[in-house]
Amino acid sequence: MFDLIIKNARIIDGTGSPWYRADLAVKDGKIASIGRINEEAAAIIDAEDKYLAPGFIDIHSHSDASILNNPSNESRLLQGVTTELTGNCGDSIAPTGKFTVDPDNKFATVADFFTELEKVGPATNFAMLVGHGTVRDAVMGYSSDKASAEQIEEMKKITAKAMEDGAFGISSGLIYPPGCYADTDELSDVASAVTPFGGLYTTHMRNENVKVVESVKEAIEIAERSGARLEISHHKVTSKDNWQESCRTTIALIEKARRRGLDVACDQYPYSASATGLDSNIPRWAFEGGFDAMLKRLEDPETRAKLRDQSNASHVGRWGDIYVAYVQTEKNQWMVGKSITEIAEALGGKDCADTCFDIVAEEHGHVGEVNFGMCEEDIEYIMSQPFTMTGSDGESLPLDCPGKPHPRNFGTMVRMLSHYCRDRKLFSIETAIHKITALPAGRMGLTDRGVIKSGMWADLVLFDLEKLKDDPDYANPQQPCAGILKVYVNGILAAENGKVTGSKSGTVLRHK
């Protein structure tokens, strides 16, 4: 007897092939049979001619920072995500080292973190990259010095150990300290440590604004020199003067690299606003020595004036597009949902850079932003490329989390399927599902997920395409998406009609 049979489904298998009608049976967490199934099962579900797809795979997330506190993972499950790749943008929760200044990093190795996560029991499948910034921090702290040959060798050893522990590759975040202090030589050398393992090099590039083309060229150079497979993270163009132009060049560069035999792809979230920490608006040189060293620089009038001038010069016309997403203190809760310009005006016409600096200092860095910087034409052009996957750049959050986090945390997959596929008709539903299932599975090297086929793990999403709606928005992001009917993780029902079941059927995935 089967554990589960889903009857009368329109199956989209993830490969890009046309959908077909069939029943599907699950036994011991895996897909056991597909076709016309008349046997008995512990549970029989009538799909009523709705679509059944592989569980969605989020190739770009940051849940390693939050999964231990929220293993039920509502923000992932309620949009159909069953597997996520975390540790992106150069920042991973492990490993730590003697120079590490980040108090949130508590795990000496990736293996230590995996062991702790397995004790907690995640609701979704969890895979992780090791962050180059984290590795550099472990070896050099927040030093802006050029890494010595000995320090690079130590970084490579730590990276190789992370791969042995099951990491899927290494990520870089080249706008964030301390990773931003690394040059192309260092990045190429350290990324080469993942090549023998077949690992990925993913990168939040050095610039997504006026120098986005140069940044893509650097990323491709690092891939070519290191031999690592390249994933350009959340590809976008945030310079208004370069909208509808630069992305044509960057996509052409990716295509040219692929024709030369380089394994290059990208991912993207389907929104016109980005999100990160508000401290990203402070010039990077201020962070040498760590966050507390930056705060001391802000206290020095002469240094603060220099930082203010640089920050304002780089934010001409931009402060009004940057909104506070969350704060920790009760004092500053009134700022949530307001732009830096609005906050500065409410504070008596205060300078915008000073306003930003003071918020960061008062919140000790625990303040997020939502930043409107992209145009729809670029989003659609990048999304339409066959090598572009969809990633949320979000994390594991509960529906009752505070503030106004970016809606991408809760609605990324459904927005791509409903708005861009169904409504905008950029591509077929089969292609859309391929971008969030088999394509990222292949990118990660997963051979037993991402496709509906006998013998594969039964990560499944049953959805009503006509009712799909990305209800999470900027005003009210903490809500489930309409149209996601059932989500199964390893054959176990994990979410149904906008509510999680409390299952802990996810597993820690280790790169092999």
Side-chain angles (χ1 to χ4, degrees), residues 342-363:
E342 291 172 329
I343 296 169
E345 290 175 352
L347 293 173
K350 190 174 180 178
D351 178 84
C352 284
D354 276 328
T355 300
C356 172
F357 297 168
D358 288 344
I359 298 171
V360 170
E362 290 173 9
E363 298 296 327

Side-chain angles (χ1 to χ4, degrees), residues 135-447:
V135 172
R136 194 179 211 269
D137 182 14
V139 174
M140 300 177 63
Y142 273 55
S143 170
S144 62
D145 291 346
K146 181 179 175 63
S148 68
E150 292 76 14
Q151 288 169 328
I152 289 176
E153 282 304 311
E154 183 63 22
M155 288 186 231
K156 291 172 68 175
K157 288 180 182 178
I158 293 173
T159 301
K161 175 62 167 62
M163 296 299 295
E164 291 169 356
D165 289 344
F168 280 71
I170 188 168
S171 70
S172 66
L174 302 184
I175 72 164
Y176 304 114
C180 63
Y181 303 135
D183 59 19
T184 305
D185 291 337
E186 176 187 324
L187 292 163
S188 300
D189 285 343
V190 177
S192 70
V194 309
T195 303
F197 300 89
L200 280 170
Y201 169 63
T202 76
T203 181
H204 180 147
M205 297 183 297
R206 211 174 290 275
N207 189 290
E208 296 173 325
N209 199 267
V210 294
K211 295 184 178 179
V212 64
V213 171
E214 292 89 334
S215 295
V216 169
K217 289 179 179 178
E218 182 191 36
I220 292 172
E221 180 182 349
I222 292 167
E224 190 158 27
R225 289 171 59 180
S226 68
R229 298 181 298 121
L230 172 62
E231 180 81 8
I232 295 175
S233 298
H234 43 59
H235 189 27
K236 56 180 158 313
V237 177
T238 60
S239 168
K240 294 181 181 180
D241 290 339
N242 295 82
W243 283 354
Q244 302 177 47
E245 294 180 7
S246 289
C247 72
R248 303 278 171 165
T249 303
T250 60
I251 293 300
L253 287 169
I254 294 172
E255 291 174 331
K256 183 177 180 180
R258 291 183 63 84
R259 287 195 298 270
R260 289 194 290 116
L262 295 180
D263 190 348
V264 183
C266 66
D267 54 68
Q268 174 202 49
Y269 47 80
Y271 295 90
S272 61
S274 60
T276 188
L278 190 64
D279 59 6
S280 65
N281 298 286
I282 301 174
R284 297 165 202 169
W285 60 265
F287 289 87
E288 183 176 3
F291 186 84
D292 290 339
M294 182 275 294
L295 292 180
K296 290 182 179 179
R297 292 186 176 99
L298 289 181
E299 293 171 359
D300 177 68
E302 184 177 344
T303 306
R304 185 186 182 102
K306 184 177 179 181
L307 289 167
R308 180 195 308 121
D309 291 344
Q310 289 187 8
S311 189
N312 279 327
S314 64
H315 284 69
V316 174
R318 292 179 54 206
W319 289 118
D321 294 329
I322 299 172
Y323 291 74
V324 171
Y326 66 87
V327 295
Q328 284 196 328
T329 67
E330 185 63 32
K331 169 190 174 184
N332 291 330
Q333 288 300 321
W334 67 272
M335 299 177 180
V336 173
K338 291 181 172 61
S339 72
I340 297 300
T341 300
E342 291 172 329
I343 296 169
E345 290 175 352
L347 293 173
K350 190 174 180 178
D351 178 84
C352 284
D354 276 328
T355 300
C356 172
F357 297 168
D358 288 344
I359 298 171
V360 170
E362 290 173 9
E363 298 296 327
H364 203 76
H366 296 288
V367 51
E369 70 169 36
V370 170
N371 187 342
F372 289 86
M374 290 86 80
C375 70
E376 283 297 319
E377 291 85 353
D378 286 359
I379 292 170
E380 293 191 357
Y381 183 72
I382 293 170
M383 186 182 294
S384 298
Q385 306 308 314
F387 46 73
T388 301
M389 288 153 273
T390 301
S392 72
D393 203 7
E395 59 181 307
S396 174
L397 296 174
L399 289 177
D400 61 355
C401 70
K404 294 184 183 296
H406 197 300
R408 69 191 186 188
N409 288 281
F410 298 89
T412 289
M413 301 300 172
V414 172
R415 179 167 176 76
M416 189 274 282
L417 292 172
S418 62
H419 178 68
Y420 290 101
C421 170
R422 183 194 62 204
D423 299 341
R424 294 288 298 152
K425 303 187 188 312
L426 292 191
F427 30 64
S428 68
I429 185 62
E430 292 88 351
T431 296
I433 292 297
H434 177 65
K435 285 177 173 290
I436 55 176
T437 57
L439 190 57
R443 201 87 193 115
M444 294 170 62
L446 300 176
T447 59

